[in-house]
Amino acid sequence: MSHRLLPFHPPLPRAVHPGAWWLWALCMATAASRTTNPLLLVLILAVCGYVVVRRRGDAPWALAFRMYLTLGAFIVAMRVVFRVVFGGGQGDTVLFVLPEIPLPAWAAGIRLFGAVAAEQLLGGFYDGLRLATMVVCVGAANALANPKRMLKALPGALYEIGTSVVVALTFAPQLVESVQRVRRARRLRAGGQKGARALRGIIIPVLEDALTRSLALAAAMASHGYGRTGRITPGARLLTGTLVISGLLGVCAGLYGVMDASTPRYLGAPMLTAGLAVATAGFLIGGRRLRRTRYRPDAWRAGEAAVVASGLAAAGLMYVTTKVDPADLYPSLNPLTWPELSPLPAAAILIGVLPAWLAPPPELLSDPPRPDASASAHPDTALPVPSKEPVT
């Protein structure tokens, strides 16, 4: 009897664990913090944008990525303008000279306008582009990860804080959706005003709608028991708070040490490891005071592992590049040189694009429900398909 080879089926659409997307985005931001090369930073932006386009859904929070791109462009422009206003003449290649504003003696060392050199402008552009790339990486995590599912994955010690953070994070996506709704309503009402005249008729309804929906989400979460805690002694509460805050401060100091190569060595991996250990102990102790059940908890499968592994590989290879060949990561400004693209950091960044194919496709709210196997076999006795959105 002959056996036919079964065709290859792509993975079914499902929601990826939000923690996987956040870890991937933080790893890409770490890779961006290790360089000021504009070619590498633009490559990171392209990787994040491509992954977002391929793996974001049609939920409200997925529409906020454009706002982060706009914010990144604003950051770059402000850094360049800052160099022009507060003295950009430290360099040999003077582009133009602006009228200098004299300052009193107590403001020595500060200069307003004057000569503007190419070295200072490029320095501001490189620094602004690096910061903007890190902001866009965080925006990619916001566009890919479901904030409500992220709340389910938080430990008990951060549950109340997580509730507030989720409500705050939903403000920007709801703002984008509210803008679209108000614009559609204005077109239906034949609103002819444009530009600054239309701002008054848009901004008030948008802010009111976004705040109303965020407050409705908070009320719904409170009615479902979010933030309910069990009995705990004052000493245990003090111990939990001390451990969590100390651990998170250690994690912040460790991340700063890992991202900045000029810091002492003990502020890097050792501080990060110690902070994680202390924070984990606080999470375990604080989690005992909260009893909650989870309906359809997010599983950590091969897709999530592939997403995190690609981000860790990108950040790890960039860290290796800083030890092996750091010259191309920081283009020289004195003398001016063209930025170059080396194979090792380029390959490290391109590894970060693998979630665009390795992660399962997202579930779209506009898609019809998938039919059950029993429904295809017995259409007359098929049961209704439940909703995809989990109940928290």
Side-chain angles (χ1 to χ4, degrees):
M1 183 174 61
S2 61
H3 297 278
R4 294 183 179 180
L5 295 177
L6 295 177
F8 173 76
H9 294 283
L12 295 176
R14 67 176 179 88
V16 180
H17 196 288
W21 286 125
W22 272 102
L23 289 175
W24 170 81
L26 291 178
C27 289
M28 297 303 296
T30 303
S33 67
R34 286 287 177 175
T35 180
T36 56
N37 191 328
L39 300 179
L40 296 177
L41 294 175
V42 170
L43 188 59
I44 294 176
L45 291 174
V47 166
C48 292
Y50 186 74
V51 173
V52 169
V53 170
R54 292 270 302 180
R55 286 299 177 261
R56 71 173 175 180
D58 54 354
W61 56 82
L63 306 176
F65 184 68
R66 190 177 303 174
M67 294 182 58
Y68 287 93
L69 293 177
T70 305
L71 178 60
F74 178 77
I75 291 173
V76 175
M78 286 297 100
R79 292 301 295 264
V80 175
V81 171
F82 184 84
R83 293 295 180 95
V84 173
V85 173
F86 293 98
Q90 298 179 2
D92 299 332
T93 308
V94 178
L95 298 178
F96 52 90
V97 179
L98 297 175
E100 185 175 351
I101 300 177
L103 296 177
W106 54 266
I110 301 176
R111 183 169 59 89
L112 294 179
F113 299 104
V116 178
E119 290 82 357
Q120 290 297 311
L121 288 184
L122 284 178
F125 175 75
Y126 291 168
D127 293 339
L129 185 60
R130 176 169 60 177
L131 180 58
T133 305
M134 298 172 67
V135 170
V136 171
C137 291
V138 175
N142 280 303
L144 295 170
N146 189 334
K148 299 178 184 178
R149 291 180 178 269
M150 189 65 186
L151 179 62
K152 294 169 56 178
L154 287 177
L158 294 178
Y159 206 59
E160 293 84 358
I161 300 176
T163 304
S164 303
V165 171
V166 168
V167 173
L169 287 178
T170 54
F171 178 78
Q174 298 293 354
L175 187 65
V176 176
E177 187 179 7
S178 298
V179 170
Q180 295 178 352
R181 293 174 58 188
V182 172
R183 292 181 63 183
R184 287 195 299 265
R186 288 178 58 84
R187 286 197 298 266
L188 291 175
R189 297 170 183 172
Q193 294 180 349
K194 296 181 179 179
R197 295 182 178 180
L199 185 62
R200 182 184 301 177
I202 293 178
I203 188 171
I204 300 301
V206 165
L207 292 177
E208 181 181 2
D209 184 65
L211 287 173
T212 301
R213 299 184 68 175
S214 297
L215 291 176
L217 173 62
M221 294 168 65
S223 65
H224 284 78
Y226 284 88
R228 182 180 180 274
T229 59
R231 297 179 179 179
I232 185 173
T233 61
R237 183 181 292 108
L238 178 61
L239 177 61
T240 302
T242 303
L243 291 177
V244 171
I245 294 176
S246 302
L248 292 180
L249 290 176
V251 169
C252 293
L255 288 176
Y256 178 77
V258 170
M259 293 181 178
D260 191 359
S262 61
T263 56
R265 183 171 298 179
Y266 65 86
L267 282 180
M271 182 64 71
L272 180 61
T273 305
L276 287 175
V278 175
T280 302
F283 292 156
L284 294 177
I285 297 175
R288 298 177 181 177
R289 64 188 176 94
L290 183 63
R291 297 293 182 266
R292 58 191 174 112
T293 59
R294 296 178 181 177
Y295 175 68
R296 294 174 61 186
D298 295 323
W300 197 275
R301 303 175 185 174
E304 284 79 2
V307 170
V308 176
S310 62
L312 291 176
L317 286 179
M318 285 294 291
Y319 179 77
V320 172
T321 306
T322 59
K323 303 298 181 182
V324 176
D325 187 16
D328 293 336
L329 298 180
Y330 302 96
S332 175
L333 295 175
N334 192 13
L336 283 176
T337 58
W338 288 99
E340 298 181 0
L341 189 63
S342 300
L344 182 58
I349 296 172
L350 290 177
I351 291 176
V353 81
L354 293 179
W357 298 280
L358 299 180
E363 290 182 329
L364 301 180
L365 300 178
S366 58
D367 288 346
R370 296 191 300 270
D372 195 6
S374 60
S376 59
H378 305 283
D380 296 335
T381 61
L383 296 176
V385 179
S387 175
K388 298 178 183 179
E389 186 65 21
V391 180
T392 56

